[in-house]
Amino acid sequence: MQIRTLVVTGLALFAMFFGAGNLIIPAMIGVDGGSSAWVGAIGFLSTGVLLPVLSMVALSTKRADEPRLADRMGKTLGLAVTTLIFLFTGMVYVIPRVGAVSFEMGAAPLVGSSPLTLLVYSALFFAVTLALALRPNRIVAHIGIVLTPALLILLLVLIVAAWNAPVVNIEPKGTFATSPVVAGFIQGYFTMDALAAQMFGGVILASLAAAGFTGRNLHRGTAIAGVMAGAILGVIYLGLVAVGLVGTGANGAAVIANVAHAMFGPAGQTVFGAIVLLACLTTALGLTGASVEYFHSLVPAISRRNWLYICIGVSFALTNLGLERILAVVAPANQLLYPIVIVLVVVTLIAAGMRRDLYWAYRLPAWVAGSLSVLEAAWSTGVGAFAPLRSVLDVFPLGSLQMAWVVPAAAALAVGLLLDLRLTRRADVA
């Protein structure tokens, strides 16, 4: 029974991670990467697969008396970062994005794109999400037993059909021509899965606990589910890179739609639409469930059901603003949150390996990474007043690659570890 539960949970976690962005980004790596696509895929897998898996493993170390894993960086920063993650990867950005993208990619080619058709489609999409989310203890089962197998079958049919097609994208474009690994690494940010792992972890922990997992088995089961989901993600991502190599189009959605049409004829749009709908629905359902649990724990005076209505209502309203307005917030949000989350995950894994509590090793690199990520996020808004920040950030190593935080944060981590070791030794002597 426990093995079956872990398999269902791993499948559900994969589907929660795998939304619209996860579908189109690897395809565009194939298109833009050309002959360097497989090298770029290494960078993409590091932030799109390895980091979310490590984030789940790190989250599995959270103790029962810790409200948030990020509190290890300090309670104020932990509360701020965690709340921003739940907002941006929940009702403010990702849930509206999957609603809008599923319409643009799956429904609009069939019913036309207009404010009215978007309104009707999004009403139906979020009505289904609401109906499934009203039974939170069944969310993982709904996704893992029914929705994920259907999604995987459709994805594998498309990937296998395209595998032997002739490659049409050979010349690398943009950063893929000069630094393909870095280009793929940055693209992995846009899946937002390392952030989402901080949300999904609570859903997975609750589901496994309800299935009888306790203590160390509960944490081990969470880590196993994360590794399983990551392995499936990796296989699917590599398959979609191959699809991108044989397809053409202005964006990832058009590339996959064109390949589906070429492989299956008129039925290809139906196959593609079904893939998009299932990918977006599973992600919306997982994010909604996680958001409700977090905000209810933050403000328990509002019931879970009312938080669910708030989450669905806000997501529905923002979806109807249109995809372009929704996408405008993704780059600043990623640049702000990803460096801090990466620091949190790395230090948590170091602490687990050392089997000791750390203090300054969490705080110093988080403060440094956070300070630089605020500047990077401000610059990425495209607001003219923040344009001079680029010259400041480029002074740092890797700054021109929008990774100015890496070396200073690593140095701060080394200092923090030395301080923690020295203070511990002093305490032992005393």
Side-chain angles (χ1 to χ4, degrees), residues 86-87 89-91 95 129-130 132-137 139 199-200 202-203 284-313 315:
F86 273 84
L87 283 172
T89 55
M91 68 181 95
I95 300 176
T129 304
L130 175 63
L132 294 174
L134 281 171
R135 298 180 65 190
N137 60 323
I139 286 178
M199 298 179 65
F200 294 147
V203 175
L285 184 55
L287 291 171
T288 298
S291 295
V292 168
E293 288 302 315
Y294 176 75
F295 286 109
H296 176 66
S297 69
L298 205 60
V299 188
I302 301 176
S303 69
R304 283 184 174 84
R305 178 161 292 211
N306 285 336
W307 272 119
L308 175 58
Y309 292 147
I310 291 170
C311 183
I312 293 292
S315 300

Side-chain angles (χ1 to χ4, degrees), residues 339-380:
I340 300 173
V341 170
I342 291 173
V343 165
L344 174 63
V345 170
V346 169
V347 180
T348 298
L349 296 176
I350 290 173
M354 296 174 66
R355 296 183 180 277
R356 67 192 305 161
D357 291 333
L358 299 175
Y359 184 86
W360 291 110
Y362 278 108
R363 285 161 173 77
L364 291 183
W367 294 343
V368 170
S371 298
L372 291 171
S373 68
V374 167
L375 301 181
E376 195 72 67
W379 176 83
S380 66

Side-chain angles (χ1 to χ4, degrees), residues 48-409:
V49 175
L50 181 60
L51 187 57
V53 170
L54 293 179
S55 190
M56 287 296 299
V57 173
L59 196 67
S60 73
T61 69
K62 188 173 79 71
R63 298 183 296 269
D65 61 342
E66 289 182 306
R68 294 166 293 271
L69 183 69
D71 284 359
R72 296 179 184 182
M73 302 183 297
K75 289 187 177 180
T76 301
L77 181 59
L79 174 61
V81 168
T82 305
T83 302
L84 285 173
I85 288 173
F86 273 84
L87 283 172
F88 281 113
T89 55
M91 68 181 95
V92 170
Y93 173 67
V94 176
I95 300 176
R97 182 184 73 172
V98 297
V101 168
S102 65
F103 170 75
E104 294 287 349
M105 294 167 59
L110 300 175
V111 302
S113 180
S114 71
L116 179 59
T117 53
L118 174 59
L119 179 68
V120 173
Y121 172 84
S122 59
L124 293 172
F125 181 89
F126 286 110
V128 173
T129 304
L130 175 63
L132 294 174
L134 281 171
R135 298 180 65 190
N137 60 323
R138 295 292 298 165
I139 286 178
V140 169
H142 284 317
I143 297 175
I145 296 174
V146 181
L147 298 177
T148 307
L151 173 60
L152 281 173
I153 290 170
L154 289 170
L155 284 169
L156 290 173
V157 165
L158 176 64
I159 290 168
V160 170
W163 193 259
N164 292 320
V167 173
V168 298
N169 295 302
I170 299 174
E171 194 68 28
K173 303 179 183 71
T175 311
F176 282 99
T178 55
S179 305
V181 174
V182 174
F185 187 92
I186 296 296
Q187 287 300 308
Y189 278 12
F190 292 95
T191 67
M192 301 188 80
D193 283 343
L195 305 183
Q198 298 295 310
M199 298 179 65
F200 294 147
V203 175
I204 299 303
L205 283 166
S207 176
L208 291 176
F213 286 75
T214 58
R216 186 171 296 177
N217 284 336
L218 176 60
H219 297 301
R220 185 181 294 117
T222 303
I224 290 172
V227 171
M228 188 183 306
I232 301 172
L233 278 172
V235 171
I236 296 299
Y237 284 156
L238 292 175
L240 289 171
V241 171
V243 171
L245 283 169
V246 304
T248 58
N251 53 60
V255 170
I256 298 174
N258 290 338
V259 171
H261 189 274
M263 296 296 109
F264 305 112
Q269 180 58 48
T270 303
V271 172
F272 175 62
I275 290 173
V276 171
L277 178 60
L278 286 170
C280 291
L281 181 60
T282 53
T283 298
L285 184 55
L287 291 171
T288 298
S291 295
V292 168
E293 288 302 315
Y294 176 75
F295 286 109
H296 176 66
S297 69
L298 205 60
V299 188
I302 301 176
S303 69
R304 283 184 174 84
R305 178 161 292 211
N306 285 336
W307 272 119
L308 175 58
Y309 292 147
I310 291 170
C311 183
I312 293 292
V314 171
S315 300
F316 171 72
L318 292 178
T319 295
N320 282 274
L321 290 177
L323 188 56
E324 288 189 11
R325 291 181 180 176
I326 295 171
L327 292 177
V329 304
V330 63
N334 281 335
Q335 294 292 355
L336 175 65
L337 295 172
Y338 253 93
I340 300 173
V341 170
I342 291 173
V343 165
L344 174 63
V345 170
V346 169
V347 180
T348 298
L349 296 176
I350 290 173
M354 296 174 66
R355 296 183 180 277
R356 67 192 305 161
D357 291 333
L358 299 175
Y359 184 86
W360 291 110
Y362 278 108
R363 285 161 173 77
L364 291 183
W367 294 343
V368 170
S371 298
L372 291 171
S373 68
V374 167
L375 301 181
E376 195 72 67
W379 176 83
S380 66
T381 62
V383 176
F386 298 134
L389 291 176
R390 186 75 267 152
S391 59
V392 175
L393 292 164
D394 287 351
V395 170
F396 293 92
L398 306 178
S400 61
L401 300 174
Q402 299 181 41
M403 298 173 65
W405 61 274
V406 173
V407 174

